[in-house]
Amino acid sequence: MDVRRIRLVETPAPQPPPGERLAMDRAWDEAVRANPSLFDGPVAACAGLSWEGPGSLVLTWARTTYRRFALRHVPGATSCLPSLFVDVAQPTEDGQVVVGRMASYTSTPGRWQLPGGSVEPPTDDRPLDLAALRRHAARELVEETGVETAPDDLTLWLVTRGAFGSVGVLFRAPCRPAPELNARFAALVSAEAARGREPELDRIALVGSPADLARLPGPHVDYLEPVLTRYAATAPLSPRSPRPRGGG
C-alpha cells in the first residue's frame, strides 16, 4: 500500500477466551523450549487498518506481549492479533537495497528480510505515532547493520500486509555507497564478537530485484518479493551489479 500519512490509534487488546488462553500458553511454552532465547516482552500489535482519505491510513494498535502471537499456531483461535513491525529499505547508489539473514538464535533463523523489527509500545507519556515509528526504524537499522541514519531522514514509503495479517511500515533511507554499507556491517559484527555477542543478522546482501532474491540461499519474508518488485520499478538494477553481493 502506498501511503503518505499514518495516524495511529490505541485500543485495548481483546482478552482471549479461557480455552484459547490455555492453548496459547502451551504453544508459547513449546516455542520457548525449542528456542530458549525467546522473551515474552511488551510489543505492539495491529488491531485494524482503514483509510481516511487518499494515501492516509489509520492504524489501530494494541499493547500485548510476544506470547500473544503463539495463537497463530492454535487452530480456530479467534483472538489472534497480527504483528506490527517497521523495516528500512537502505538503498545503494547503484540501485541495490540491503537485506539481511536472521541469525540462528532468533525466532526466524535463516530468513531473509529488510532490516527492522517489531514495534514496541511506548513506556513513557510520548505517543506511538509516525515520529515514534521513525525513531524505532532508525534504531533497528543501526543495531542490525551498523548504519546510522537520523530518524527525520527516513521517508515513509509503503505499508505491507503479509502472513497472519502482519503489518509492516516501511521507510526508505538515503542512498549510501555499497562499500560503506558492507564496511559498517563488518565493523558491527567485529564489535559484537568483541563483546561475546552474535548480531541479529548473520549476513547481509545487496539485491535489486526478485531475481536477485531468488539466488539467495534460504527462505525470505513473504512481503520481500513484492517490495523488491516495487523498488525495482523505481530504481532499476544497475547492469554493473547483476548478482546479489554478500557482506559479513
Side-chain angles (χ1 to χ4, degrees):
M1 293 174 276
D2 291 296
V3 292
R4 295 192 300 273
R5 293 178 297 277
I6 296 179
R7 182 165 64 89
L8 289 99
V9 178
E10 184 175 4
T11 190
Q15 293 301 311
E20 287 189 15
R21 165 71 67 175
L22 290 173
M24 176 183 71
D25 290 342
R26 285 196 296 268
W28 175 257
D29 291 343
E30 290 175 6
V32 172
R33 283 195 293 271
N35 184 355
S37 67
L38 296 180
F39 171 65
D40 190 23
V43 70
C46 180
L49 289 175
S50 61
W51 295 100
E52 61 178 358
S56 184
L57 193 66
V58 178
L59 194 160
T60 306
W61 68 279
R63 297 171 188 263
T64 186
T65 70
Y66 283 97
R67 178 184 301 263
R68 186 62 168 264
F69 299 144
L71 280 171
R72 297 168 176 171
H73 307 293
V74 176
T78 60
S79 55
C80 295
L81 284 175
S83 62
L84 173 62
F85 62 90
V86 291
D87 275 351
V88 180
Q90 173 59 69
T92 66
E93 294 175 335
D94 60 354
Q96 307 281 70
V97 68
V98 174
V99 295
R101 188 176 66 182
M102 300 296 289
S104 59
Y105 68 88
T106 65
S107 60
T108 53
R111 188 182 73 178
W112 292 91
Q113 62 184 56
L114 295 173
S118 298
V119 174
E120 300 173 358
T123 57
D124 50 26
D125 293 333
R126 291 194 295 182
L128 182 61
D129 54 15
L130 186 57
L133 295 185
R134 276 196 176 92
R135 291 192 297 270
H136 187 64
R139 185 170 69 250
E140 292 284 350
L141 182 64
V142 69
E143 288 178 354
E144 294 186 352
T145 69
V147 177
E148 293 188 47
T149 299
D152 289 344
D153 290 337
L154 297 178
T155 303
L156 179 62
W157 183 32
L158 299 171
V159 171
T160 65
R161 190 149 207 177
F164 307 108
S166 300
V167 172
V169 179
L170 275 58
F171 297 91
R172 285 186 68 159
C175 289
R176 294 177 183 264
E180 177 188 340
L181 297 173
N182 283 320
R184 287 179 180 267
F185 182 70
L188 171 68
V189 172
S190 295
E192 290 293 273
R195 299 184 183 100
R197 300 198 299 247
E198 184 181 355
E200 191 169 353
L201 301 179
D202 65 10
R203 177 184 168 189
I204 65 169
L206 305 177
V207 299
S209 70
D212 287 345
L213 183 62
R215 287 190 283 265
L216 294 176
H220 55 79
V221 290
D222 56 357
Y223 68 81
L224 192 50
E225 184 172 344
V227 164
L228 283 176
T229 298
R230 179 71 63 89
Y231 177 79
T234 58
L237 181 64
S238 168
R240 295 175 299 165
S241 308
R243 290 186 176 273
R245 298 197 298 273

